[in-house]
Amino acid sequence: MKKDIKEYIIKEGNKLGFPIVKFAKEEPLTNETRHLNHWLSLKYDANMTYMQRNLDKMESIKLLFKNAKTIILFAYPHIKNIVFNSKLKVGKYAIVSDYHKVIREKLNTISESILNKFNVNSMCFVDSSSILEKQWAVRSGVGWQGKNSLIINEILGSYFNIGVMIVDVEIEADNKIKNQCGDCNLCIKSCPTGAIVLDKVIDCRRCITRFTNEKTDNIPEIIKIAMKKTGYIFGCDICQDVCTFNRKFRKNKAINYDILNKIEYMSENDFNKTFAESPIIRTGYKRILEHIKIVLSI
């Protein structure tokens, strides 16, 4: 019966666009939250206070779902090769519809299906501050955590987002994948602000993505210089683009993306319509214009 459930969830996940579906046994993430607490103590979160709110739930997923038995990880790929026809750039994941909504809808479909077919109860999460997604991705065997802190898979590289489903039935767990970064330090060397301070350790106070995606009153000068140099107005893919496991995707047919150089001429209403389904909308019209001014300043 449990084997049937696992095979069914994998099959349904594959049909909905998740090429990789992996399973982990529910266990406390004691060591992982200990490392997180140390990271927070060093102020590397750059005042992202939401990361400090649910530490107890991050350690014990049963505080979110008391009958939790298995954690299921779904990897959802996004665009891997883009040509920006202007100096302005955004993170690749932001080119398509907001992954939060897309993945959640797909997980809800699977959740409803396994309830009806197997009487399995579940909860679904996408990029939630209560779930240590990367750590569960490692435990389940979705991939290993690279030196840039992102999850890397041999097939997908790191160009994917993660959905999490917790279920109240024990399902056979998958094995971890060996970390294959070895002596490679390309991601560390490529970061224009030196935000990757140690293996898997990011100082968000020096991270372009933190200051272009998250709400903030002031952008530090080091970030402004890096934005101007790299062209990023939302997100940043530099540490991913240099990764050995993403190199193969440079051969893919590139998608031309030229709408960014039109933003500064858009009204706020046009901006909202154009990016209604993109994660960019969360940053907002005024802040994106400020980012463009920084990048294009002389």
Side-chain angles (χ1 to χ4, degrees):
M1 177 67 170
K2 294 176 182 177
K3 182 179 179 182
D4 292 341
I5 296 173
K6 182 171 185 177
E7 291 177 349
Y8 180 81
I9 292 173
I10 293 173
K11 182 179 179 181
E12 292 302 298
N14 292 165
K15 286 198 303 187
L16 289 173
F18 299 104
I20 296 173
V21 181
K22 295 291 184 177
F23 300 74
K25 179 183 178 182
E26 182 282 320
E27 291 176 324
L29 297 180
T30 305
N31 288 334
E32 290 87 343
T33 49
R34 186 181 297 119
H35 289 307
L36 176 60
N37 266 311
H38 178 63
W39 182 79
L40 290 169
S41 72
L42 296 172
K43 308 298 182 183
Y44 285 168
D45 62 319
N47 295 319
M48 290 186 285
T49 55
Y50 66 85
M51 302 189 74
Q52 305 174 30
R53 294 175 194 156
N54 299 299
L55 289 172
D56 56 341
K57 296 182 179 68
M58 292 179 192
E59 180 174 2
S60 177
I61 218 161
K62 281 185 177 293
L63 295 178
L64 288 169
F65 186 29
K66 67 178 181 179
N67 295 322
K69 297 289 196 308
T70 305
I71 292 81
I72 310 171
L73 282 293
F74 298 80
Y76 191 70
H78 59 71
I79 293 170
K80 300 173 177 64
N81 200 7
I82 300 172
V83 172
F84 293 102
N85 295 323
S86 71
K87 184 179 179 180
L88 306 177
K89 299 176 184 175
V90 297
K92 293 180 179 65
Y93 77 90
I95 300 299
V96 293
S97 296
D98 191 337
Y99 70 91
H100 298 85
K101 297 177 183 178
V102 174
I103 294 178
R104 182 173 291 281
E105 287 177 2
K106 293 176 183 291
L107 293 188
N108 287 341
T109 297
I110 298 173
S111 180
E112 183 177 349
S113 180
I114 60 175
L115 176 61
N116 294 333
K117 190 174 180 65
F118 300 104
N119 195 32
V120 171
N121 296 291
S122 61
M123 289 183 69
C124 302
F125 299 86
V126 183
D127 207 6
S128 168
S129 62
S130 302
I131 302 286
L132 291 178
E133 294 175 336
K134 293 178 183 178
Q135 284 66 32
W136 284 115
V138 171
R139 286 205 176 195
S140 68
V142 167
W144 66 92
Q145 190 170 17
K147 294 179 182 179
N148 60 2
S149 87
L150 300 176
I151 302 301
I152 303 173
N153 175 276
E154 281 186 295
I155 298 172
L156 301 180
S158 61
Y159 296 133
F160 62 91
N161 296 109
I162 298 171
V164 178
M165 181 183 292
I166 310 170
V167 296
D168 63 351
V169 61
E170 290 184 7
I171 301 175
E172 181 185 13
D174 292 304
N175 296 322
K176 290 183 179 181
I177 295 178
K178 181 182 178 181
N179 189 312
Q180 299 179 44
C181 289
D183 295 330
C184 179
N185 290 306
L186 286 175
C187 59
I188 296 175
K189 293 177 180 178
S190 70
C191 180
T193 57
I196 309 173
V197 293
L198 289 170
D199 186 355
K200 306 181 188 67
V201 180
I202 308 298
D203 183 350
C204 291
R205 296 172 299 184
R206 304 173 70 90
C207 181
I208 295 174
T209 294
R210 182 269 184 264
F211 286 98
T212 55
N213 289 24
E214 303 288 340
K215 292 182 179 180
T216 180
D217 293 329
N218 297 299
I219 298 178
E221 192 62 28
I222 187 174
I223 301 296
K224 290 181 179 179
I225 293 171
M227 288 171 65
K228 186 174 180 179
K229 180 180 178 180
T230 64
Y232 279 102
I233 61 171
F234 182 88
C236 178
D237 284 328
I238 293 172
C239 68
Q240 295 192 83
D241 290 342
V242 299
C243 178
T244 300
F245 292 92
N246 289 328
R247 187 178 297 163
K248 57 190 173 185
F249 300 121
R250 296 173 194 165
K251 299 178 182 178
N252 290 9
K253 182 178 179 181
I255 293 177
N256 285 284
Y257 194 70
D258 60 1
I259 199 169
L260 297 180
N261 57 2
K262 301 175 183 177
I263 294 178
E264 59 182 323
Y265 305 108
M266 290 181 182
S267 65
E268 185 168 3
N269 187 53
D270 288 340
F271 174 88
N272 291 337
K273 288 181 179 179
T274 301
F275 296 99
E277 300 300 320
S278 166
I280 295 172
I281 195 69
R282 292 186 291 115
T283 296
Y285 176 70
K286 292 180 180 179
R287 285 188 56 221
I288 289 294
L289 283 183
E290 290 174 3
H291 298 171
I292 290 174
K293 289 178 181 178
I294 291 172
V295 171
L296 298 183
S297 62
I298 300 175

